[in-house]
Amino acid sequence: QVQLVESGGGLVQAGGSLRLSCAASGRTFGGYRMGWFRQAPGKEREFVAAINWSGGSTYYGDSVKGRFTVSRDDAKSTVYLQMNSLKPEDTAVYYCAAGPRYRRTYTLSADYDYWGQGIQVTVSS
């Protein structure tokens, strides 16, 4: 089992930045791919970003490319999502997720076995 706890959300003006953190506990963090998803009211959960088990590969949803950066610190068992140039349409509950390293894709919810409780990010115009 892996437990995930997100932090760093809140209210920010358009154009601003936030950094989300996701602290993992339980099984060895280094063996997992990590992902970020988000869900806005009335919309389906959307893939945001992911990083593979080694940190050598990263993946981004089209709507956040060039603005968001995912990274990991295995010594701290933490994954980060740096969000810059935020837009009102980035408003959502953001979820951290962990999955085994061997799956072929990174963008589907089914690629991940463990999920955090979610954290609200609100971008005002």
Side-chain angles (χ1 to χ4, degrees):
Q1 282 283 48
V2 176
Q3 292 79 43
L4 303 172
V5 178
E6 300 98 338
S7 62
L11 174 64
V12 64
Q13 289 188 334
S17 298
L18 279 176
R19 188 177 80 157
L20 301 183
S21 299
C22 173
S25 61
R27 302 183 70 176
T28 304
F29 177 76
Y32 287 88
R33 89 248 314 266
M34 301 298 297
W36 288 96
F37 290 74
R38 67 187 183 187
Q39 188 165 20
K43 295 188 177 181
E44 294 187 353
R45 187 170 293 185
E46 175 190 15
F47 170 73
V48 175
I51 187 166
N52 76 334
W53 67 273
S54 70
S57 296
T58 55
Y59 308 84
Y60 297 94
D62 289 342
S63 61
V64 307
K65 281 180 183 176
R67 300 188 298 122
F68 290 13
T69 302
V70 61
S71 61
R72 63 189 296 156
D73 184 341
D74 286 2
K76 296 182 178 179
S77 296
T78 300
V79 62
Y80 303 98
L81 184 68
Q82 178 67 43
M83 305 185 294
N84 298 329
S85 301
L86 282 162
K87 305 175 181 179
E89 50 264 44
D90 294 318
T91 295
V93 176
Y94 283 70
Y95 297 89
C96 172
R101 58 193 280 182
Y102 56 80
R103 290 192 177 138
R104 296 177 61 186
T105 58
Y106 284 82
T107 64
L108 304 177
S109 295
D111 295 326
Y112 302 87
D113 295 339
Y114 305 102
W115 294 82
Q117 79 287 355
I119 193 163
Q120 179 69 45
V121 171
T122 302
V123 184
S124 64
S125 57

